[in-house]
Amino acid sequence: MKWSIHQLRKHRGDRIPLDQVIDLKSIIQRDDSIRAIGPIRLTGYAEIEKDCIDLQLHIEGEVTVPCARTWEDAIWSFALDTFERFSWEEELLQRDETIHPVEQNTVDVRSILEDLIIVSIPLQVYAEGAEDLTYKEGKGWTYMLAEEPEEAIEEEQAVDPRLAALAKLLQSDEE
């Protein structure tokens, strides 16, 4: 989504409705945890003023990330709202650091949308059925959910058979 300042100045004072489907596959290169991203639906409006453009945006889509429990693909659906302001006037940019500068006479919201999606991804996303998982193993690892936390503690306190003689010696010293 790019617009030139020249195009935008033609619509000064107007409210332009936005409804587009965009491709943000470049986000995969910016964040290693994102395995895939579907088409993003962007709706909202743009208002062009004398020295800035205001964008009220709603974005919806799906991102595939690793499941926090199984490391399989987990789909996270999102719907995010944002308000962004761009300006080409240096004085306005110096007064307010939340305003995005227009670079090369072009308003480009792609990197802003990518940033918004990246920071919105939850730390733990679970794949379907991962909540019901109690046991799974793979090469060199095992995932096990103890039924009762006490059972797990008892298993940890079980004496290693190689040290059983030492345990008996310690018990006899205590008596």
Side-chain angles (χ1 to χ4, degrees), residues 94-123:
Q94 289 176 355
R95 278 188 287 154
D96 189 351
E97 60 187 41
T98 62
I99 298 175
H100 304 284
V102 173
E103 296 174 359
Q104 300 175 352
N105 291 326
T106 305
V107 173
D108 186 8
V109 297
R110 181 173 299 274
S111 65
I112 293 168
L113 296 177
E114 289 177 356
D115 291 343
L116 183 62
I117 292 168
I118 289 171
V119 300
S120 298
I121 296 173
L123 293 176

PDB file of all heavy atoms in Angstrom, residues 94-123:
ATOM      1  N   GLN A  94       8.690  17.418  13.925  1.00  0.00           N
ATOM      2  CA  GLN A  94       9.511  17.743  15.087  1.00  0.00           C
ATOM      3  C   GLN A  94       8.664  17.939  16.344  1.00  0.00           C
ATOM      4  O   GLN A  94       9.112  17.659  17.448  1.00  0.00           O
ATOM      5  CB  GLN A  94      10.354  18.989  14.816  1.00  0.00           C
ATOM      6  CG  GLN A  94      11.461  18.728  13.820  1.00  0.00           C
ATOM      7  CD  GLN A  94      12.244  19.982  13.485  1.00  0.00           C
ATOM      8  OE1 GLN A  94      11.913  21.078  13.920  1.00  0.00           O
ATOM      9  NE2 GLN A  94      13.287  19.823  12.685  1.00  0.00           N
ATOM     10  N   ARG A  95       7.438  18.416  16.188  1.00  0.00           N
ATOM     11  CA  ARG A  95       6.565  18.645  17.345  1.00  0.00           C
ATOM     12  C   ARG A  95       5.971  17.357  17.905  1.00  0.00           C
ATOM     13  O   ARG A  95       5.719  17.263  19.097  1.00  0.00           O
ATOM     14  CB  ARG A  95       5.411  19.572  16.970  1.00  0.00           C
ATOM     15  CG  ARG A  95       5.785  21.021  16.993  1.00  0.00           C
ATOM     16  CD  ARG A  95       4.573  21.881  16.800  1.00  0.00           C
ATOM     17  NE  ARG A  95       4.171  21.765  15.404  1.00  0.00           N
ATOM     18  CZ  ARG A  95       2.943  21.941  14.952  1.00  0.00           C
ATOM     19  NH1 ARG A  95       1.967  22.228  15.762  1.00  0.00           N
ATOM     20  NH2 ARG A  95       2.666  21.832  13.680  1.00  0.00           N
ATOM     21  N   ASP A  96       5.733  16.367  17.056  1.00  0.00           N
ATOM     22  CA  ASP A  96       5.053  15.144  17.495  1.00  0.00           C
ATOM     23  C   ASP A  96       5.800  13.919  16.949  1.00  0.00           C
ATOM     24  O   ASP A  96       5.802  13.666  15.745  1.00  0.00           O
ATOM     25  CB  ASP A  96       3.609  15.148  16.994  1.00  0.00           C
ATOM     26  CG  ASP A  96       2.769  14.042  17.584  1.00  0.00           C
ATOM     27  OD1 ASP A  96       3.329  13.146  18.262  1.00  0.00           O
ATOM     28  OD2 ASP A  96       1.545  14.051  17.367  1.00  0.00           O
ATOM     29  N   GLU A  97       6.408  13.165  17.866  1.00  0.00           N
ATOM     30  CA  GLU A  97       7.211  12.018  17.431  1.00  0.00           C
ATOM     31  C   GLU A  97       6.366  10.803  17.053  1.00  0.00           C
ATOM     32  O   GLU A  97       6.897   9.815  16.563  1.00  0.00           O
ATOM     33  CB  GLU A  97       8.229  11.636  18.497  1.00  0.00           C
ATOM     34  CG  GLU A  97       7.619  11.243  19.817  1.00  0.00           C
ATOM     35  CD  GLU A  97       8.663  11.025  20.894  1.00  0.00           C
ATOM     36  OE1 GLU A  97       9.613  11.811  20.972  1.00  0.00           O
ATOM     37  OE2 GLU A  97       8.499  10.059  21.635  1.00  0.00           O
ATOM     38  N   THR A  98       5.058  10.842  17.277  1.00  0.00           N
ATOM     39  CA  THR A  98       4.201   9.709  16.886  1.00  0.00           C
ATOM     40  C   THR A  98       3.797   9.776  15.418  1.00  0.00           C
ATOM     41  O   THR A  98       3.206   8.843  14.905  1.00  0.00           O
ATOM     42  CB  THR A  98       2.932   9.651  17.756  1.00  0.00           C
ATOM     43  OG1 THR A  98       2.164  10.840  17.555  1.00  0.00           O
ATOM     44  CG2 THR A  98       3.291   9.476  19.227  1.00  0.00           C
ATOM     45  N   ILE A  99       4.121  10.871  14.762  1.00  0.00           N
ATOM     46  CA  ILE A  99       3.788  11.029  13.344  1.00  0.00           C
ATOM     47  C   ILE A  99       4.894  10.405  12.511  1.00  0.00           C
ATOM     48  O   ILE A  99       6.082  10.626  12.751  1.00  0.00           O
ATOM     49  CB  ILE A  99       3.614  12.520  12.988  1.00  0.00           C
ATOM     50  CG1 ILE A  99       2.463  13.111  13.798  1.00  0.00           C
ATOM     51  CG2 ILE A  99       3.369  12.679  11.495  1.00  0.00           C
ATOM     52  CD1 ILE A  99       2.281  14.603  13.601  1.00  0.00           C
ATOM     53  N   HIS A 100       4.492   9.625  11.522  1.00  0.00           N
ATOM     54  CA  HIS A 100       5.454   8.963  10.639  1.00  0.00           C
ATOM     55  C   HIS A 100       5.871   9.913   9.516  1.00  0.00           C
ATOM     56  O   HIS A 100       5.021  10.559   8.903  1.00  0.00           O
ATOM     57  CB  HIS A 100       4.839   7.708  10.013  1.00  0.00           C
ATOM     58  CG  HIS A 100       4.330   6.737  11.020  1.00  0.00           C
ATOM     59  ND1 HIS A 100       5.150   5.921  11.748  1.00  0.00           N
ATOM     60  CD2 HIS A 100       3.065   6.464  11.436  1.00  0.00           C
ATOM     61  CE1 HIS A 100       4.430   5.175  12.552  1.00  0.00           C
ATOM     62  NE2 HIS A 100       3.159   5.489  12.388  1.00  0.00           N
ATOM     63  N   PRO A 101       7.156   9.970   9.218  1.00  0.00           N
ATOM     64  CA  PRO A 101       7.588  10.833   8.110  1.00  0.00           C
ATOM     65  C   PRO A 101       7.299  10.171   6.759  1.00  0.00           C
ATOM     66  O   PRO A 101       7.333   8.953   6.623  1.00  0.00           O
ATOM     67  CB  PRO A 101       9.093  10.956   8.334  1.00  0.00           C
ATOM     68  CG  PRO A 101       9.475   9.730   9.094  1.00  0.00           C
ATOM     69  CD  PRO A 101       8.271   9.363   9.921  1.00  0.00           C
ATOM     70  N   VAL A 102       7.010  10.998   5.797  1.00  0.00           N
ATOM     71  CA  VAL A 102       6.837  10.523   4.430  1.00  0.00           C
ATOM     72  C   VAL A 102       8.222  10.457   3.814  1.00  0.00           C
ATOM     73  O   VAL A 102       8.955  11.433   3.820  1.00  0.00           O
ATOM     74  CB  VAL A 102       5.920  11.478   3.632  1.00  0.00           C
ATOM     75  CG1 VAL A 102       5.878  11.084   2.171  1.00  0.00           C
ATOM     76  CG2 VAL A 102       4.529  11.495   4.228  1.00  0.00           C
ATOM     77  N   GLU A 103       8.578   9.288   3.304  1.00  0.00           N
ATOM     78  CA  GLU A 103       9.907   9.102   2.727  1.00  0.00           C
ATOM     79  C   GLU A 103       9.805   8.963   1.218  1.00  0.00           C
ATOM     80  O   GLU A 103       8.945   8.243   0.712  1.00  0.00           O
ATOM     81  CB  GLU A 103      10.576   7.873   3.343  1.00  0.00           C
ATOM     82  CG  GLU A 103      10.817   8.033   4.828  1.00  0.00           C
ATOM     83  CD  GLU A 103      11.345   6.772   5.488  1.00  0.00           C
ATOM     84  OE1 GLU A 103      11.516   5.750   4.794  1.00  0.00           O
ATOM     85  OE2 GLU A 103      11.572   6.825   6.702  1.00  0.00           O
ATOM     86  N   GLN A 104      10.669   9.654   0.512  1.00  0.00           N
ATOM     87  CA  GLN A 104      10.730   9.627  -0.947  1.00  0.00           C
ATOM     88  C   GLN A 104       9.381   9.992  -1.554  1.00  0.00           C
ATOM     89  O   GLN A 104       8.945   9.397  -2.549  1.00  0.00           O
ATOM     90  CB  GLN A 104      11.208   8.272  -1.448  1.00  0.00           C
ATOM     91  CG  GLN A 104      12.584   7.917  -0.948  1.00  0.00           C
ATOM     92  CD  GLN A 104      13.003   6.510  -1.356  1.00  0.00           C
ATOM     93  OE1 GLN A 104      12.212   5.742  -1.888  1.00  0.00           O
ATOM     94  NE2 GLN A 104      14.251   6.192  -1.093  1.00  0.00           N
ATOM     95  N   ASN A 105       8.701  10.963  -0.944  1.00  0.00           N
ATOM     96  CA  ASN A 105       7.408  11.466  -1.409  1.00  0.00           C
ATOM     97  C   ASN A 105       6.341  10.380  -1.533  1.00  0.00           C
ATOM     98  O   ASN A 105       5.451  10.456  -2.372  1.00  0.00           O
ATOM     99  CB  ASN A 105       7.553  12.202  -2.745  1.00  0.00           C
ATOM    100  CG  ASN A 105       8.306  13.497  -2.585  1.00  0.00           C
ATOM    101  OD1 ASN A 105       8.197  14.160  -1.552  1.00  0.00           O
ATOM    102  ND2 ASN A 105       9.080  13.872  -3.590  1.00  0.00           N
ATOM    103  N   THR A 106       6.472   9.336  -0.677  1.00  0.00           N
ATOM    104  CA  THR A 106       5.539   8.213  -0.729  1.00  0.00           C
ATOM    105  C   THR A 106       5.108   7.821   0.676  1.00  0.00           C
ATOM    106  O   THR A 106       5.933   7.730   1.585  1.00  0.00           O
ATOM    107  CB  THR A 106       6.202   6.997  -1.407  1.00  0.00           C
ATOM    108  OG1 THR A 106       6.687   7.386  -2.680  1.00  0.00           O
ATOM    109  CG2 THR A 106       5.216   5.863  -1.588  1.00  0.00           C
ATOM    110  N   VAL A 107       3.810   7.573   0.840  1.00  0.00           N
ATOM    111  CA  VAL A 107       3.273   7.045   2.089  1.00  0.00           C
ATOM    112  C   VAL A 107       3.183   5.532   1.919  1.00  0.00           C
ATOM    113  O   VAL A 107       2.475   5.042   1.036  1.00  0.00           O
ATOM    114  CB  VAL A 107       1.870   7.628   2.398  1.00  0.00           C
ATOM    115  CG1 VAL A 107       1.256   6.949   3.597  1.00  0.00           C
ATOM    116  CG2 VAL A 107       1.969   9.123   2.606  1.00  0.00           C
ATOM    117  N   ASP A 108       3.941   4.794   2.750  1.00  0.00           N
ATOM    118  CA  ASP A 108       3.951   3.334   2.669  1.00  0.00           C
ATOM    119  C   ASP A 108       3.644   2.776   4.059  1.00  0.00           C
ATOM    120  O   ASP A 108       4.418   2.960   4.990  1.00  0.00           O
ATOM    121  CB  ASP A 108       5.311   2.838   2.184  1.00  0.00           C
ATOM    122  CG  ASP A 108       5.335   1.345   1.942  1.00  0.00           C
ATOM    123  OD1 ASP A 108       4.265   0.700   2.002  1.00  0.00           O
ATOM    124  OD2 ASP A 108       6.427   0.804   1.701  1.00  0.00           O
ATOM    125  N   VAL A 109       2.511   2.078   4.194  1.00  0.00           N
ATOM    126  CA  VAL A 109       2.098   1.557   5.502  1.00  0.00           C
ATOM    127  C   VAL A 109       2.518   0.107   5.715  1.00  0.00           C
ATOM    128  O   VAL A 109       2.273  -0.450   6.781  1.00  0.00           O
ATOM    129  CB  VAL A 109       0.570   1.694   5.714  1.00  0.00           C
ATOM    130  CG1 VAL A 109       0.156   3.144   5.703  1.00  0.00           C
ATOM    131  CG2 VAL A 109      -0.190   0.906   4.679  1.00  0.00           C
ATOM    132  N   ARG A 110       3.156  -0.492   4.756  1.00  0.00           N
ATOM    133  CA  ARG A 110       3.528  -1.910   4.844  1.00  0.00           C
ATOM    134  C   ARG A 110       4.365  -2.214   6.089  1.00  0.00           C
ATOM    135  O   ARG A 110       4.057  -3.126   6.847  1.00  0.00           O
ATOM    136  CB  ARG A 110       4.278  -2.330   3.586  1.00  0.00           C
ATOM    137  CG  ARG A 110       4.696  -3.781   3.567  1.00  0.00           C
ATOM    138  CD  ARG A 110       5.266  -4.158   2.222  1.00  0.00           C
ATOM    139  NE  ARG A 110       4.306  -3.995   1.163  1.00  0.00           N
ATOM    140  CZ  ARG A 110       3.421  -4.925   0.806  1.00  0.00           C
ATOM    141  NH1 ARG A 110       3.397  -6.068   1.427  1.00  0.00           N
ATOM    142  NH2 ARG A 110       2.571  -4.715  -0.164  1.00  0.00           N
ATOM    143  N   SER A 111       5.427  -1.469   6.340  1.00  0.00           N
ATOM    144  CA  SER A 111       6.285  -1.762   7.496  1.00  0.00           C
ATOM    145  C   SER A 111       5.559  -1.503   8.811  1.00  0.00           C
ATOM    146  O   SER A 111       5.788  -2.200   9.801  1.00  0.00           O
ATOM    147  CB  SER A 111       7.582  -0.961   7.420  1.00  0.00           C
ATOM    148  OG  SER A 111       7.313   0.422   7.531  1.00  0.00           O
ATOM    149  N   ILE A 112       4.670  -0.530   8.832  1.00  0.00           N
ATOM    150  CA  ILE A 112       3.895  -0.250  10.046  1.00  0.00           C
ATOM    151  C   ILE A 112       2.939  -1.405  10.342  1.00  0.00           C
ATOM    152  O   ILE A 112       2.797  -1.824  11.493  1.00  0.00           O
ATOM    153  CB  ILE A 112       3.139   1.085   9.907  1.00  0.00           C
ATOM    154  CG1 ILE A 112       4.155   2.222   9.859  1.00  0.00           C
ATOM    155  CG2 ILE A 112       2.138   1.279  11.038  1.00  0.00           C
ATOM    156  CD1 ILE A 112       3.591   3.544   9.447  1.00  0.00           C
ATOM    157  N   LEU A 113       2.301  -1.946   9.320  1.00  0.00           N
ATOM    158  CA  LEU A 113       1.401  -3.084   9.509  1.00  0.00           C
ATOM    159  C   LEU A 113       2.184  -4.316   9.977  1.00  0.00           C
ATOM    160  O   LEU A 113       1.734  -5.045  10.861  1.00  0.00           O
ATOM    161  CB  LEU A 113       0.646  -3.392   8.223  1.00  0.00           C
ATOM    162  CG  LEU A 113      -0.301  -2.298   7.732  1.00  0.00           C
ATOM    163  CD1 LEU A 113      -0.933  -2.714   6.406  1.00  0.00           C
ATOM    164  CD2 LEU A 113      -1.349  -1.957   8.758  1.00  0.00           C
ATOM    165  N   GLU A 114       3.360  -4.537   9.405  1.00  0.00           N
ATOM    166  CA  GLU A 114       4.195  -5.661   9.831  1.00  0.00           C
ATOM    167  C   GLU A 114       4.579  -5.519  11.302  1.00  0.00           C
ATOM    168  O   GLU A 114       4.487  -6.479  12.071  1.00  0.00           O
ATOM    169  CB  GLU A 114       5.451  -5.759   8.963  1.00  0.00           C
ATOM    170  CG  GLU A 114       5.173  -6.235   7.560  1.00  0.00           C
ATOM    171  CD  GLU A 114       6.416  -6.252   6.678  1.00  0.00           C
ATOM    172  OE1 GLU A 114       7.505  -5.821   7.140  1.00  0.00           O
ATOM    173  OE2 GLU A 114       6.299  -6.689   5.519  1.00  0.00           O
ATOM    174  N   ASP A 115       5.010  -4.322  11.697  1.00  0.00           N
ATOM    175  CA  ASP A 115       5.368  -4.078  13.099  1.00  0.00           C
ATOM    176  C   ASP A 115       4.187  -4.347  14.025  1.00  0.00           C
ATOM    177  O   ASP A 115       4.339  -4.982  15.070  1.00  0.00           O
ATOM    178  CB  ASP A 115       5.840  -2.640  13.305  1.00  0.00           C
ATOM    179  CG  ASP A 115       7.177  -2.337  12.658  1.00  0.00           C
ATOM    180  OD1 ASP A 115       7.902  -3.302  12.318  1.00  0.00           O
ATOM    181  OD2 ASP A 115       7.497  -1.146  12.479  1.00  0.00           O
ATOM    182  N   LEU A 116       3.028  -3.874  13.641  1.00  0.00           N
ATOM    183  CA  LEU A 116       1.825  -4.039  14.462  1.00  0.00           C
ATOM    184  C   LEU A 116       1.478  -5.518  14.648  1.00  0.00           C
ATOM    185  O   LEU A 116       1.164  -5.961  15.752  1.00  0.00           O
ATOM    186  CB  LEU A 116       0.658  -3.293  13.828  1.00  0.00           C
ATOM    187  CG  LEU A 116      -0.649  -3.290  14.581  1.00  0.00           C
ATOM    188  CD1 LEU A 116      -0.486  -2.597  15.927  1.00  0.00           C
ATOM    189  CD2 LEU A 116      -1.725  -2.598  13.772  1.00  0.00           C
ATOM    190  N   ILE A 117       1.590  -6.299  13.592  1.00  0.00           N
ATOM    191  CA  ILE A 117       1.296  -7.730  13.671  1.00  0.00           C
ATOM    192  C   ILE A 117       2.337  -8.435  14.543  1.00  0.00           C
ATOM    193  O   ILE A 117       1.993  -9.228  15.421  1.00  0.00           O
ATOM    194  CB  ILE A 117       1.234  -8.361  12.263  1.00  0.00           C
ATOM    195  CG1 ILE A 117       0.011  -7.827  11.511  1.00  0.00           C
ATOM    196  CG2 ILE A 117       1.176  -9.882  12.358  1.00  0.00           C
ATOM    197  CD1 ILE A 117      -0.002  -8.159  10.035  1.00  0.00           C
ATOM    198  N   ILE A 118       3.607  -8.122  14.348  1.00  0.00           N
ATOM    199  CA  ILE A 118       4.684  -8.782  15.107  1.00  0.00           C
ATOM    200  C   ILE A 118       4.526  -8.548  16.601  1.00  0.00           C
ATOM    201  O   ILE A 118       4.622  -9.471  17.401  1.00  0.00           O
ATOM    202  CB  ILE A 118       6.072  -8.327  14.608  1.00  0.00           C
ATOM    203  CG1 ILE A 118       6.348  -8.917  13.221  1.00  0.00           C
ATOM    204  CG2 ILE A 118       7.169  -8.740  15.581  1.00  0.00           C
ATOM    205  CD1 ILE A 118       7.578  -8.363  12.530  1.00  0.00           C
ATOM    206  N   VAL A 119       4.268  -7.308  17.007  1.00  0.00           N
ATOM    207  CA  VAL A 119       4.162  -7.031  18.441  1.00  0.00           C
ATOM    208  C   VAL A 119       2.855  -7.533  19.040  1.00  0.00           C
ATOM    209  O   VAL A 119       2.735  -7.626  20.258  1.00  0.00           O
ATOM    210  CB  VAL A 119       4.352  -5.528  18.772  1.00  0.00           C
ATOM    211  CG1 VAL A 119       5.706  -5.044  18.317  1.00  0.00           C
ATOM    212  CG2 VAL A 119       3.250  -4.672  18.198  1.00  0.00           C
ATOM    213  N   SER A 120       1.892  -7.883  18.210  1.00  0.00           N
ATOM    214  CA  SER A 120       0.601  -8.370  18.712  1.00  0.00           C
ATOM    215  C   SER A 120       0.546  -9.885  18.865  1.00  0.00           C
ATOM    216  O   SER A 120      -0.391 -10.400  19.475  1.00  0.00           O
ATOM    217  CB  SER A 120      -0.519  -7.923  17.775  1.00  0.00           C
ATOM    218  OG  SER A 120      -0.584  -6.519  17.732  1.00  0.00           O
ATOM    219  N   ILE A 121       1.510 -10.614  18.326  1.00  0.00           N
ATOM    220  CA  ILE A 121       1.494 -12.075  18.422  1.00  0.00           C
ATOM    221  C   ILE A 121       1.673 -12.478  19.878  1.00  0.00           C
ATOM    222  O   ILE A 121       2.629 -12.048  20.526  1.00  0.00           O
ATOM    223  CB  ILE A 121       2.597 -12.706  17.552  1.00  0.00           C
ATOM    224  CG1 ILE A 121       2.346 -12.397  16.080  1.00  0.00           C
ATOM    225  CG2 ILE A 121       2.673 -14.212  17.769  1.00  0.00           C
ATOM    226  CD1 ILE A 121       3.454 -12.837  15.153  1.00  0.00           C
ATOM    227  N   PRO A 122       0.767 -13.287  20.415  1.00  0.00           N
ATOM    228  CA  PRO A 122       0.911 -13.718  21.816  1.00  0.00           C
ATOM    229  C   PRO A 122       2.162 -14.564  22.014  1.00  0.00           C
ATOM    230  O   PRO A 122       2.664 -15.193  21.082  1.00  0.00           O
ATOM    231  CB  PRO A 122      -0.338 -14.571  22.058  1.00  0.00           C
ATOM    232  CG  PRO A 122      -1.245 -14.328  20.919  1.00  0.00           C
ATOM    233  CD  PRO A 122      -0.433 -13.823  19.786  1.00  0.00           C
ATOM    234  N   LEU A 123       2.668 -14.591  23.250  1.00  0.00           N
ATOM    235  CA  LEU A 123       3.852 -15.383  23.553  1.00  0.00           C
ATOM    236  C   LEU A 123       3.582 -16.874  23.444  1.00  0.00           C
ATOM    237  O   LEU A 123       4.466 -17.654  23.103  1.00  0.00           O
ATOM    238  CB  LEU A 123       4.364 -15.060  24.955  1.00  0.00           C
ATOM    239  CG  LEU A 123       4.925 -13.661  25.133  1.00  0.00           C
ATOM    240  CD1 LEU A 123       5.297 -13.428  26.588  1.00  0.00           C
ATOM    241  CD2 LEU A 123       6.119 -13.434  24.240  1.00  0.00           C
TER     242      LEU A 123
END
